[in-house]
Amino acid sequence: MRWEQLFADLEGQQADWARRERAAEAAEHTRAEHGRVVLGDRLAADVGRVLRLGVRGVGVLEARLVDVGPDWMLVHEVSSSSHQERLVATAALLSVEGLSGRVDDRPRRYGLRHAVRALSRDRARVRVFDQGGDHLSGTVDRALADHLDLARHADDEPRRPGAVRGVVAVPYGTIAMVQRL
């Protein structure tokens, strides 16, 4: 009888050890999966959600997430009555509050340059905020490989040769946000 109890006890210990080993492997696998999640994938899963964004050079924005690219996000500010469109460079993000925790890892093809090219094509008046806290207003003349050319003019004037005060090259890496006026 003692031998049977001893073997049963050993089997129980081995089964308990195997359960703990599987649980440790599952926990390690989960940590490894979490280690592969990037912010853009979390943002993409939360399109339509209102988030609180800390943006270098701009401050805090409370905005509804409209679209996400590989290095940008399009938001509509909720505190503004006009729901202004703002294109935020993800490199300028300091914090994001309000994420659900979901993940959407589908590829996003169109980078900041493509989004700026659309603004250029529309001849939209914009305000470009840099990560240092300054801003320039005007119209994007060209979206080049690593920078844009901004024709500077007053916010309330369309781009006309007489209104342009100069053209400024702005590297994409310095942009915090582009606001359509």
Side-chain angles (χ1 to χ4, degrees):
M1 194 65 157
R2 285 186 186 173
W3 287 105
E4 289 176 8
Q5 288 175 343
L6 177 65
F7 290 137
D9 186 46
L10 288 173
E11 285 178 11
Q13 288 177 13
Q14 185 173 6
D16 187 47
W17 178 82
R19 272 192 305 277
R20 285 195 312 259
E21 186 68 24
R22 281 191 304 274
E25 286 176 15
E28 181 58 31
H29 179 70
T30 300
R31 283 190 291 274
E33 285 297 314
H34 287 164
R36 287 191 268 280
V37 174
V38 296
L39 180 58
D41 293 347
R42 293 184 68 198
L43 289 167
D46 282 347
V47 168
R49 194 173 183 93
V50 174
L51 302 172
R52 187 173 168 86
L53 308 171
V55 183
R56 182 180 294 113
V58 175
V60 176
L61 294 174
E62 190 166 339
R64 182 170 309 285
L65 185 58
V66 176
D67 200 0
V68 177
D71 56 354
W72 57 269
M73 54 196 282
L74 180 65
V75 299
H76 285 173
E77 189 174 12
V78 295
S79 62
S80 151
S81 60
S82 63
H83 296 285
Q84 290 183 323
E85 285 185 339
R86 296 170 188 253
L87 186 67
V88 178
T90 53
L93 286 175
L94 298 171
S95 62
V96 179
E97 184 178 340
L99 290 171
S100 67
R102 296 179 309 208
V103 175
D104 178 353
D105 60 358
R106 289 178 290 181
R108 290 172 300 283
R109 298 179 295 185
Y110 302 109
L112 183 61
R113 179 173 45 116
H114 295 95
V116 170
R117 185 178 297 142
L119 292 170
S120 173
R121 183 183 56 242
D122 293 348
R123 305 308 291 159
R125 290 181 316 214
V126 297
R127 184 170 294 136
V128 179
F129 294 82
D130 68 23
Q131 294 184 27
D134 291 329
H135 67 273
L136 300 168
S137 296
T139 302
V140 177
D141 274 350
R142 298 186 302 170
L144 299 138
D146 63 349
H147 67 286
L148 62 88
D149 280 348
L150 183 73
R152 295 190 61 213
H153 56 80
D155 291 354
D156 58 349
E157 294 181 4
R159 191 211 185 287
R160 301 278 183 258
V164 174
R165 290 182 250 154
V167 176
V168 179
V170 181
Y172 296 130
T174 66
I175 294 174
M177 182 175 73
V178 179
Q179 174 184 344
R180 187 187 288 258
L181 299 175

